[in-house]
Amino acid sequence: MSIYQKWILPRLVDFTMRNKEATRFRSQIVPQARGMVLEIGVGSGLNLPFYGTSVEQLYGLDPSEELLVMARKKARAIAFPIDFLAHSGEEIPLDDGCIDTVVTTWTLCSIPDPAKALKEMRRVLKPGGMLLFAEHGLAPEAKVQIWQQWLNPLWSRVTGGCNLNRKMDDLIHAAGFRIAELETEYTKGPRPMSYVYSGRALPVIST
């Protein structure tokens, strides 16, 4: 791991994700979480202040030890118990059907295998559980998509694996979820980086 990835990138991620638009989505999505909660890509813990009193316990998963150090400091002000897990989203170290709510915000863009990670999220969710998400991804306009595809290789290298060109609703649906609520919009900023999918999805129950 390079000096940039180990020391500079985690602090850059923490700084850039404090922006007003990200905070707006956090305030809308995260308070809906309830029961036993798993946050995928907990990062530096920027979602922690937005969880409500309906949360019994939170598992905060992230592969970056450096970001988890920051998250642990923020967790000192949180009332409910939090367990931090230094793992990737593709291999969640929890039992089947033990989670009421999975939360993912600006995370699916950077997981190397998002399809596998989403299937893992579905595995750990209870039958009546839900997935709450706010993710940037592929825009609907062809002209914007051209820019996203062109910029993606360089963007991914600079941002530690973030991708601009993933169609988040299709990924969620293909992993065995039914999308119950979905809102899409451009936030403030360059269009290739600012198309956001947010909402709630439910695991499809096999019969």
Side-chain angles (χ1 to χ4, degrees), residues 81-94:
I82 304 175
D83 290 334
F84 291 105
L85 308 171
H87 286 266
S88 68
E90 294 98 334
E91 296 182 2
I92 299 173
L94 295 174

Side-chain angles (χ1 to χ4, degrees), residues 106-118:
W106 295 279
T107 299
L108 289 173
C109 60
S110 59
I111 295 177
D113 189 342
K116 184 177 180 181
L118 281 161

Side-chain angles (χ1 to χ4, degrees), residues 28-148:
Q28 296 170 353
I29 295 296
V30 178
Q32 299 179 53
R34 57 174 173 75
M36 302 293 289
V37 179
L38 168 65
E39 182 175 340
I40 304 294
V42 68
S44 62
L46 295 177
N47 282 342
L48 295 182
F50 295 95
Y51 284 104
T53 55
S54 296
V55 175
E56 299 172 16
Q57 182 173 355
L58 173 69
Y59 293 97
L61 183 144
D62 203 285
S64 170
E65 292 282 6
E66 291 72 31
L67 285 170
L68 289 180
V69 169
M70 300 182 201
R72 288 187 179 98
K73 293 179 180 178
K74 295 182 179 71
R76 295 169 186 167
I78 305 302
F80 52 79
I82 304 175
D83 290 334
F84 291 105
L85 308 171
H87 286 266
S88 68
E90 294 98 334
E91 296 182 2
I92 299 173
L94 295 174
D95 294 335
D96 295 359
C98 66
I99 296 295
D100 296 293
T101 310
V102 173
V103 175
T104 171
T105 58
W106 295 279
T107 299
L108 289 173
C109 60
S110 59
I111 295 177
D113 189 342
K116 184 177 180 181
L118 281 161
K119 289 178 181 178
E120 276 287 276
M121 296 178 212
R122 184 179 179 277
R123 178 185 65 79
V124 301
L125 273 173
K126 296 177 181 178
M130 63 179 170
L131 167 66
L132 301 173
F133 60 93
E135 299 283 351
H136 76 95
L138 189 69
E141 291 85 5
K143 290 182 179 179
V144 181
Q145 290 181 10
I146 290 171
W147 276 102
Q148 288 179 313

